[in-house]
Amino acid sequence: MQRRRTGMIAVVSALGMTTVLGGCGSTGSSDVTLKLVAADYGDSPANTSQKYWERLAKDYESLHPGVKVQVSVYSWTDVDRKVKEMVDAGDPPDMAQIGAYADYADRGLLYKADDLLSIPVQADFLGQLSESGQVRHVQYGIPFAASTRVLFYNKTLFDRAHLTPPKNWDQLAADAEALKAEGVEYPYALPLGPEEAQAETMMWLLSGGSGYTDDLGTYTLNSPQNTETFTWLKDELVGKGLTGPVAPGKLNRADAFAAFAKGDVGMLNGHPTLMQQAAKNGVKFGMVPMPGRSGTPKSTMGVTDWMMAFKENGHKDQIGDFLDFVYSEKNVLDFSREYDLLPVTTSASDAMAAAQQDKDLWPFLDELPLAQLYPVGKTSWAGISADIKKQIGQTVSPGGDPTAVLNRLQEKASEADSAESAG
């Protein structure tokens, strides 16, 4: 049966251009060294991103003898700090591939995407990802890699309890009750610990019909739907002992994934890297869309990492030409396949949707057209995200008050919104 297309063309500018770009043009200059700082997506020295970028740089340099690309790769723990230190010292790299861009854009340090990329390359990006790269309706953040989240479930545990994957919250709670009765340690793992609480939170807010912001981009953390969502989690999952022995506010995403890979978790929200982790341990798993309150939610959560270019060294033309090469269909596909991530371009996404070798990623790819991203275009998001990581676990703790916690978070978010508007 022919695999259905993902429908992503509907959400991008449809110029229909999927030609491999870059690699044959001339930048009109010589003896230029471009410095790139990038994040490491590998989990061992064997697959470090340093190797990917060095190979890509070598290919580019062979076609552009006057340009050198110098790459420094750091772990996700360090890369944002490293770039900040370079910027603060007045010596930013030409390009940075990291997790956030808005603060640098707000300070006037970045090139606009329009100033760098050719029209065919810009038109090839998935529309909602490009929009998330905007500050005040101007794109500075260039999407680099994407992922979505789906509900993973342990097939062995589900078969033992005679369960089917849940399609709404009531079914999820009923499945969790049945798994608990079978002695499953974590019927549903709810990681609201400080590592990545903002992700689990957003997935539940979206499944409850709301989110972090409204359609105008204003924070709505304490919306009635969000309050109802966390009240339901507290009363129907956590309060009934269905989320495992570790309090959600102390359970980190990495520990929840590790528990799933040991066979101790019935259900949890996960991204593509969990597939390999579970498969290595022989855990049989299935994947379905995150259930909504009464069915499939209108949006799911997506995450995008960003490429940006700093103006300090004045290498606009060389940067743009190199980035056109980076975002060719072949190179986007190679990176996505290397690290189990989703392409950020239509051409590579369509190729992945049609390739049997990529079928493990199809469930995540199917979610991307309707995915909603963090409000990364808001310069206040980094601070608000940090507050969520610290406080959101209190909503479901014994004696916790979801309304009070969300009101407290909203108060700071509203202040941030006001300050951003005034700036």
Side-chain angles (χ1 to χ4, degrees), residues 169-342:
W169 288 3
D170 288 343
Q171 291 174 12
L172 187 148
D175 285 352
E177 287 273 14
L179 290 166
K180 181 182 180 182
E182 290 287 329
V184 175
E185 190 171 6
Y186 293 87
Y188 177 87
L190 183 66
L192 295 176
E195 179 195 4
E196 204 187 29
Q198 84 284 2
E200 184 74 13
T201 297
M202 184 168 175
M203 284 181 272
W204 278 99
L205 297 186
L206 291 172
S207 73
S210 187
Y212 284 130
T213 61
D214 61 19
D215 292 340
L216 299 177
T218 303
Y219 286 115
T220 55
L221 277 77
N222 65 343
S223 69
Q225 298 99 315
N226 290 346
T227 302
E228 290 171 11
T229 293
F230 272 90
T231 300
W232 186 90
L233 284 171
K234 182 176 186 293
D235 294 345
E236 302 301 325
L237 288 186
V238 182
K240 294 182 178 179
L242 304 179
T243 54
V246 179
K250 295 182 178 179
L251 181 65
N252 281 324
R253 190 265 307 163
D255 295 328
F257 277 22
F260 186 86
K262 286 172 57 182
D264 294 337
V265 175
M267 298 173 281
L268 86 171
N269 288 314
H271 53 65
T273 58
L274 182 56
M275 294 189 298
Q276 287 188 8
Q277 198 173 343
K280 283 179 183 177
N281 289 355
V283 172
K284 296 179 180 179
F285 60 89
M287 298 178 293
V288 295
M290 170 69 178
R293 186 184 302 275
S294 56
T296 303
K298 65 178 182 179
S299 298
T300 187
M301 192 188 86
V303 176
T304 301
D305 300 322
W306 302 97
M307 178 73 75
M308 65 209 70
F310 288 88
K311 296 191 290 189
E312 180 73 23
N313 298 319
H315 295 148
K316 175 171 68 73
D317 292 341
Q318 295 86 358
I319 293 169
D321 194 70
F322 176 67
L323 290 179
D324 276 0
F325 180 75
V326 168
Y327 285 102
S328 71
E329 179 183 324
K330 176 187 180 300
N331 289 331
V332 172
L333 271 176
D334 284 350
F335 186 86
S336 301
R337 287 167 171 164
E338 176 76 21
Y339 298 108
D340 280 337
L341 292 163
L342 302 181

Side-chain angles (χ1 to χ4, degrees), residues 80-213:
D80 289 286
R81 175 177 55 82
K82 288 284 187 181
V83 172
K84 183 179 184 301
E85 289 172 353
M86 295 171 74
V87 172
D88 290 346
D91 186 28
D94 294 286
M95 294 165 284
Q97 187 273 296
I98 52 178
Y101 66 87
D103 181 57
Y104 300 126
D106 190 58
R107 290 156 60 186
L109 302 178
L110 302 181
Y111 284 115
K112 301 173 186 176
D114 286 350
D115 293 336
L116 299 169
L117 302 172
S118 66
I119 291 174
V121 168
Q122 278 197 277
D124 200 24
F125 286 113
L126 300 175
Q128 82 272 37
L129 303 188
S130 291
E131 289 174 11
S132 290
Q134 296 178 1
V135 173
R136 289 184 285 276
H137 308 294
V138 176
Q139 185 181 355
Y140 297 93
I142 304 169
F144 182 73
S147 69
T148 56
R149 308 296 170 95
V150 298
L151 185 74
F152 282 71
Y153 65 96
N154 184 309
K155 283 188 172 181
T156 302
L157 299 178
F158 265 61
D159 289 345
R160 189 180 302 160
H162 308 292
L163 299 175
T164 57
K167 295 181 179 180
N168 56 50
W169 288 3
D170 288 343
Q171 291 174 12
L172 187 148
D175 285 352
E177 287 273 14
L179 290 166
K180 181 182 180 182
E182 290 287 329
V184 175
E185 190 171 6
Y186 293 87
Y188 177 87
L190 183 66
L192 295 176
E195 179 195 4
E196 204 187 29
Q198 84 284 2
E200 184 74 13
T201 297
M202 184 168 175
M203 284 181 272
W204 278 99
L205 297 186
L206 291 172
S207 73
S210 187
Y212 284 130
T213 61

Side-chain angles (χ1 to χ4, degrees), residues 41-102:
Y41 291 82
D43 57 11
S44 70
N47 71 343
T48 173
S49 297
Q50 186 78 37
K51 291 185 176 181
Y52 171 84
W53 282 112
E54 287 177 352
R55 184 169 65 248
L56 198 68
K58 184 178 179 181
D59 290 346
Y60 182 79
E61 290 166 359
S62 70
L63 298 163
H64 300 80
V67 179
K68 298 293 181 186
V69 182
Q70 185 183 98
V71 185
S72 300
V73 171
Y74 298 97
S75 71
W76 274 108
T77 306
D78 298 324
V79 69
D80 289 286
R81 175 177 55 82
K82 288 284 187 181
V83 172
K84 183 179 184 301
E85 289 172 353
M86 295 171 74
V87 172
D88 290 346
D91 186 28
D94 294 286
M95 294 165 284
Q97 187 273 296
I98 52 178
Y101 66 87

